Amino acid sequence: MFDKWYRIKLTGKGDVGKFLADLTSKGIQIRSLSIDHQIATFRTDRKGLAQLRKHRRAFRLKFTVTGPQQDSGAKRIILTPLFLIACAIPFACSFFLWTVQVESDRPEVVDRIEAKLEAASIVPLRPLALLPEEGEIRRSLMKNDPSLSWIRFRKVGTSLTVIPMLSPPSNRIDEPAGPPSNLVARTGGVITRFELEKGERVGRVHQTVRKGDVLATGVLEQGSKTVIVGAEGEIYADYWMEYQFSIPRTITYQMQGEEIVELSFRAPWKKEGKVDLDSGERTFPWPFIQTKRYTNELTGKLVLEEGMEKSVILPLLKNKFLSAPSSKAIIKDEKILHVSFDNDKVSGTVLFLINDDIATKRPISQGD
């Protein structure tokens, strides 16, 4: 049973402080005490009210009572075991994934992604701590699916929304194959491998070739017959390339920060503005605890200085050189020839040892 509290206003010509001290010595509970010019206001229980009535005349004091007042409804709710259980259940549920949704206007894409999510066990009721990293999920979903250019994720509380971004439709028109051709070297190098679709090798692996040398022929000899089919494919070789650069000395960069988890609590005794159409009553907020996850992006600036040639400048140049979408080149080694620092620019020359396709087509001469 909750205690009843009475609000007391104590006045008179007697010593208020001495009277309150006497009450305290008798074990009387006094709360929210305030004294202003010999006027004391406080709260006390039924036992304290009885002592006030018994001893006030001896101290030449009088009082007025307002009450009784019970503890607030909010406090009563907080102290009940049911409330603690009601808070514990949604708190425990906040550690599990409850909904997984795919947002796309193409049903076939939704079906493919949902199947891959299920195969990766990214399904409702899985603990959030066991979910793979976003990058790992993205690679798994985009694997063997050329229709996707990127996948975004949105985490709100215990729900995960997967938003596939489709590749733009290709408007490229395939050009005619052209006349049958041989494959020749567009630059000198050392051959490392052949990936021919048609034609016959002329060179061999580990052979050093010069610019213009025939690497694969499209002319095939079958006994006494000669058949011109043309050569198609890729031929990879190692070669050194001189790369000249000029970049700003101050670089602005962005990087992904840590994942931030925010927990917000909504008091269950505060009713929301939504009204139930059937009963006409306002609804209570649910869930009581909401989780919001997001990843912040950090932006900074870096000023290039001498001594950063290998640690910063070379990785920047390699990333820039290999950033072409169609590039299959691999940088095996690098050598810095020259680097100079000005007030606002850094320029120089670097040698890259590159492995790339060096084959280019040269039409086969068939006479008039």
Side-chain angles (χ1 to χ4, degrees):
M1 188 69 182
F2 293 97
D3 294 332
K4 295 182 179 180
W5 293 88
Y6 300 85
R7 183 172 296 277
I8 308 299
K9 183 176 181 182
L10 190 62
T11 59
K13 298 180 180 180
D15 191 337
V16 174
K18 187 176 180 180
F19 179 58
L20 294 175
D22 181 70
L23 292 178
T24 304
S25 65
K26 292 181 172 62
I28 302 304
Q29 296 191 50
I30 296 177
R31 295 185 179 181
S32 305
L33 175 63
S34 175
I35 300 177
D36 184 16
H37 296 90
Q38 287 298 104
I39 299 176
T41 56
F42 57 92
R43 289 193 304 157
T44 188
D45 56 9
R46 188 183 300 274
K47 180 181 177 182
L49 183 60
Q51 290 294 325
L52 279 170
R53 289 170 175 167
K54 183 177 181 181
H55 299 287
R56 63 183 177 84
R57 295 183 182 275
F59 287 87
R60 296 184 298 166
L61 296 172
K62 58 183 179 179
F63 67 91
T64 57
V65 182
T66 304
Q69 295 180 348
Q70 291 187 343
D71 289 341
S72 65
K75 184 175 180 180
R76 292 201 306 272
I77 294 176
I78 292 176
L79 293 177
T80 58
L82 290 177
F83 172 78
L84 298 178
I85 296 174
C87 290
I89 292 176
F91 181 74
C93 293
S94 66
F95 292 97
F96 292 85
L97 182 65
W98 284 94
T99 58
V100 181
Q101 183 180 4
V102 181
E103 286 188 1
S104 177
D105 55 358
R106 295 178 59 178
E108 66 276 9
V109 175
V110 174
D111 293 340
R112 288 202 304 268
I113 292 181
E114 287 180 346
K116 290 184 177 181
L117 289 172
E118 186 174 355
S121 298
I122 304 175
V123 293
L125 299 182
R126 184 173 184 183
L128 294 175
L130 299 182
L131 289 180
E133 297 290 336
E134 286 189 2
E136 183 178 346
I137 301 175
R138 183 179 293 110
R139 286 191 296 271
S140 175
L141 297 180
M142 295 182 64
K143 186 177 181 180
N144 300 326
D145 196 339
S147 65
L148 301 178
S149 63
W150 191 248
I151 290 181
R152 293 173 49 215
F153 299 96
R154 184 171 65 240
K155 288 183 181 178
V156 180
T158 57
S159 64
L160 173 65
T161 304
V162 181
I163 308 173
M165 304 178 70
L166 303 180
S167 301
S170 175
N171 54 6
R172 182 177 62 87
I173 301 176
D174 294 336
E175 297 180 357
S181 304
N182 293 325
L183 295 179
V184 301
R186 60 177 174 83
T187 185
V190 179
I191 298 176
T192 58
R193 72 181 189 276
F194 289 83
E195 294 183 3
L196 292 180
E197 299 174 5
K198 290 193 304 183
E200 184 178 352
R201 298 183 185 183
V202 174
R204 64 183 185 278
V205 177
H206 304 311
Q207 178 184 351
T208 300
V209 295
R210 296 181 180 180
K211 180 179 180 180
D213 288 351
V214 178
L215 305 177
T217 179
V219 181
L220 303 182
E221 295 184 0
Q222 299 177 350
S224 59
K225 295 182 179 180
T226 300
V227 180
I228 300 177
V229 297
E232 299 282 349
E234 299 173 344
I235 302 172
Y236 290 84
D238 291 340
Y239 61 93
W240 286 96
M241 187 194 72
E242 187 176 283
Y243 186 75
Q244 297 181 346
F245 67 91
S246 179
I247 58 177
R249 188 163 182 177
T250 301
I251 299 175
T252 302
Y253 63 90
Q254 289 184 336
M255 61 182 299
Q256 189 173 10
E258 297 180 352
E259 184 182 40
I260 299 176
V261 180
E262 292 183 352
L263 297 177
S264 58
F265 175 78
R266 297 189 296 176
W269 57 83
K270 293 184 179 180
K271 296 185 177 182
E272 292 183 330
K274 298 180 181 179
V275 179
D276 187 89
L277 297 179
D278 297 329
S279 62
E281 296 181 354
R282 296 184 182 274
T283 59
F284 288 98
W286 181 262
F288 300 148
I289 299 176
Q290 287 189 332
T291 306
K292 182 179 180 182
R293 299 171 181 264
Y294 63 93
T295 303
N296 60 342
E297 291 186 353
L298 305 178
T299 304
K301 291 186 178 181
L302 175 65
V303 180
L304 300 178
E305 302 289 350
E306 294 185 11
M308 295 184 177
E309 290 85 353
K310 292 185 178 181
S311 61
V312 178
I313 296 177
L314 267 179
L316 285 175
L317 297 178
K318 291 169 68 174
N319 182 69
K320 181 179 179 182
F321 179 78
L322 300 174
S323 61
S326 59
S327 176
K328 297 182 179 180
I330 299 174
I331 296 178
K332 291 186 171 181
D333 196 5
E334 62 274 335
K335 294 181 180 179
I336 300 175
L337 300 182
H338 168 71
V339 178
S340 62
F341 293 82
D342 297 332
N343 292 332
D344 56 352
K345 286 187 177 181
V346 179
S347 56
T349 306
V350 177
L351 273 180
F352 285 132
L353 178 59
I354 299 173
N355 182 264
D356 197 7
D357 175 24
I358 64 168
T360 186
K361 289 184 177 181
R362 177 191 290 170
I364 299 172
S365 176
Q366 304 182 46
D368 296 331

